Structures are given as C-alpha cells and as structure tokens.
Amino acid sequence: MHPLITAEELSLLLASDSPDDAPVRVLDVRYRLDRPDGHPEYLDGHVPGAVYVDLDGELAHVGRPEDGRHPVPSLEDLQGAARGWGVDDADTIVVYDDWNSMGAARAWWLLTGAGVSDVRVLDGGYRAWTGAGLPVATGDQRPGPGSVTLHERTAGAASIDDAAAWPDHGVLLDVRSPERFRGENEPLDPLAGHIPGAVNLPSLVHLADGRFRDAAALRAAFESVGARPGVDVAAYCGSGITAAHTALAGALAGIDVTVYPGSWSQWSNTPGRPVATGPE
C-alpha cells in the first residue's frame, strides 16, 4: 500500500459507501515544536470525522532525560491510545498534521511498526485539505472504543548502542538543520554537535511546498550522502519525530531507513557519549 494519500483521494475514500472498502479512521496529529498542544487548532477546524491525537501524550511517554524527549510508548499504551481513537483491525488509517507531516510521520512509523497494514499520510497535511476547498468540521470527535490489536516492533528501530556502531557498517543520517549538526547552536538539548560518523541530510530536503518530492528526487537526495538501496541506513534527529519523517521519505524512495528514536536528546543526555562538531 502506498504510504501517501492526496486530499482528493481521501475525500473520495470518506464518501465511498462500497462494501468492498475498509472503514477509514482519520487521525489529526496537530503538533509543532512551538505549539506542542494542537488541540485548540483541531477544535477550530479539522477533516470531518478526524480524531485528535496528542503526540506528546499518546505517541510518546514521559521518561527520564537520558531516555530522550519523545521516548517510544509501550505497546500497551500505544494500543490503548489507538483503541481510544476508535481504531479496529480492518481499518484504513489516514494521519495528517499542519507541520510538514512530521507528527503524522511519527504516527505512521509507530503504527506500521506495530503491525497495522494500511496507514497513509495525507500529503500536504491539513493545508492540502483546505486548499482543495474540501469541507471542515469543528469541535471534538469522540468515537466509540476500537478493538485493534497491535504487536511488538521487530525491525526498524535502533538503540543508542546501535546508533553508535552504525557508521561502521552503514550510513547514519542526522536529519536536523546543518547548524545544529555542525554544533553551531543547540536550542533544545544540553550539548551541541552530532554523533561521530553521522552525515547530515536535513529532513526538509524531502519536501517541496509542504509535499513530498517525487521518488526520483527523494532517491537522489539520499544517494547524495551515500544512502542507497542495499546500504544499512539509519536516521536520528532531535527527539525521534523528524527521523520518522525521513523513514517515510525513504519508504517513498525505496530505501529502508531505521529510526533511532532516542536521537540527539537521548545521546546528549547520556554521560560518556562522544560528540563531534563541524561539517564532517
């Protein structure tokens, strides 16, 4: 199943009454670094039927500093949250946000890794929906409880030790801004710099006007730093959100990208971990 869906395709899917179509559950993962609680914006307008998802509270859990800023939730917690969104096993899930699909990609990565077979990201997010002139709803959507059964992830996630060793056998991508990668500034975490051996590929290179570039352009961006099919590729960011976005871009380009969810927030809070600075 292709991991992206357009606003027009989602509109048709929501309007379909064919018995052959799976039920559709739309999730609004409204989140930004400067406004982590997107619930007020959701209440003001969302895709009809969409359920609000709290990224900080449901797609992560509160941990110690050495766990990073957005630790992966336990399977039990993620399953409980998904059932609270009204998700059943046979559902098609569409996720979106209003922040370049960063929060939506986190939901996509968690749910696909937990065994949900049909999870799609609305390309262009909420802006694409309203830009297409499609109707919006206001207020809260509170579905009945779902019955989805999730499973433990078996691949696609790296530990802090995996990340440390990754450059010895593959390509480790730091997808933060070049300034943060080089260690020139660090607005969120205690140390500036990057994991030794990592190469910089900022996540925004995969987008054009808020939408993902075509597969050829995405492959070219990955290959520019040595990340190509057949090479072990992993990605990290500040706290594991934009790294999931890079994993989604990799899926579109035909490149498997493992995510180090602890990312720089975990690395920089763990005593004894080396730090590199500069462009290399």
Side-chain angles (χ1 to χ4, degrees):
M1 187 64 64
H2 196 277
L4 294 184
I5 188 170
T6 67
E8 293 78 8
E9 289 168 338
L10 175 57
S11 178
L12 291 174
L13 204 58
L14 291 172
S16 174
D17 58 2
S18 170
D20 295 329
D21 291 333
V24 181
R25 176 61 64 197
V26 183
L27 305 179
D28 183 312
V29 194
R30 211 78 65 95
Y31 170 91
R32 291 174 54 167
L33 282 175
D34 58 338
R35 290 200 310 276
D37 181 7
H39 194 236
E41 286 78 11
Y42 163 84
L43 293 175
D44 286 342
H46 55 262
V47 174
V51 179
Y52 177 69
V53 175
D54 178 0
L55 188 147
D56 279 339
E58 296 178 304
L59 302 181
H61 75 88
V62 177
R64 303 165 300 173
E66 57 267 33
D67 295 327
R69 281 184 279 115
H70 287 112
V72 171
S74 69
L75 177 64
E76 179 182 9
D77 286 346
L78 182 61
Q79 179 172 276
R83 290 180 176 181
W85 308 327
V87 175
D88 294 318
D89 283 317
D91 289 355
T92 290
I93 299 176
V94 177
V95 292
Y96 72 89
D97 60 37
D98 61 352
W99 184 45
N100 293 317
S101 295
M102 299 295 176
R106 170 73 167 208
W108 169 85
W109 181 74
L110 286 174
L111 292 171
T112 55
V116 181
S117 60
D118 189 3
V119 185
R120 310 182 208 180
V121 172
L122 176 59
D123 196 20
Y126 187 61
R127 185 173 66 169
W129 181 267
T130 57
L134 293 166
V136 301
T138 58
D140 244 334
Q141 174 74 25
R142 298 186 181 276
S147 59
V148 67
T149 299
L150 303 184
H151 305 281
E152 290 286 359
R153 175 183 290 274
T154 59
S159 69
I160 190 170
D161 290 331
D162 293 333
W166 206 276
D168 295 335
H169 62 83
V171 175
L172 179 63
L173 303 175
D174 182 315
V175 305
R176 298 172 300 161
S177 69
E179 295 79 13
R180 290 183 73 188
F181 173 81
R182 293 192 297 262
E184 294 169 4
N185 67 66
E186 179 47 63
L188 298 169
D189 296 312
L191 297 174
H194 59 265
I195 296 174
V199 295
N200 190 214
L201 184 66
S203 58
L204 291 180
V205 305
H206 303 305
L207 301 177
D209 194 28
R211 300 174 190 251
F212 282 93
R213 297 180 183 274
D214 62 57
L218 294 172
R219 279 193 297 272
F222 280 106
E223 290 177 358
S224 71
V225 291
R228 55 181 58 88
V231 173
D232 292 335
V233 181
Y236 74 92
C237 55
S239 66
I241 305 301
T242 51
H245 186 273
T246 295
L248 176 55
L252 297 170
I255 298 169
D256 289 332
V257 178
T258 294
V259 172
Y260 166 34
S263 285
W264 187 247
S265 59
Q266 181 183 47
W267 187 277
S268 62
N269 275 288
T270 303
R273 296 290 175 176
V275 173
T277 57
E280 299 296 336

